[in-house]
Amino acid sequence: DDGEYDAMALRFVIKEGRNRQIRKMCAELGLLVTSLDRKKFAGITLKGCEDPGSWMEMSDQELIGIGAKKSPTRDELRTPEERARRKLKKLNKKRKMTRGY
């Protein structure tokens, strides 16, 4: 053995990656991992950010997908008018119940 290795590329598709999972799996087989490239995470690809140092703004849906932003509640999706109408309806219903009819 002269200390040189033949380079090869392997492709792994995993649904949930654990800490250093690929490196550990390869080590079990006696393979040395010199670099890893993630192509997709939570449905988000690097399309448009191929150059080192480049970046893009993430959409609200992408941020929600990775858990960096909370999705809006049903009430937050309603218009202010609809929220006011629903609140009034709830108050009227409560008043009827306390009057006993």
Side-chain angles (χ1 to χ4, degrees), residues 7-68:
M8 70 174 91
L10 300 174
R11 181 173 186 237
F12 293 89
V13 178
I14 55 177
K15 289 187 178 210
E16 181 181 342
R18 300 290 182 176
N19 187 30
R20 302 188 178 277
Q21 179 178 359
I22 301 295
R23 291 184 190 278
K24 289 176 182 177
M25 289 183 341
C26 289
E28 286 290 319
L29 298 172
L31 301 172
L32 174 66
V33 177
T34 56
S35 69
L36 290 171
D37 292 317
R38 183 183 306 251
K39 300 297 181 189
K40 190 160 110 174
F41 175 76
I44 301 168
T45 65
L46 296 175
K47 191 170 182 143
C49 287
E50 289 85 6
D51 298 328
S54 63
W55 61 279
M56 292 172 56
E57 292 281 337
M58 294 177 74
S59 70
D60 285 345
Q61 278 308 114
E62 290 171 328
L63 291 170
I64 290 167
I66 63 169

Side-chain angles (χ1 to χ4, degrees), residues 77-90:
L77 293 173
R78 293 185 177 110
T79 64
E81 295 81 14
E82 188 178 0
R83 275 184 275 187
R85 184 181 53 77
R86 291 177 65 86
K87 188 174 183 178
L88 185 61
K89 184 177 178 182
K90 192 174 183 180

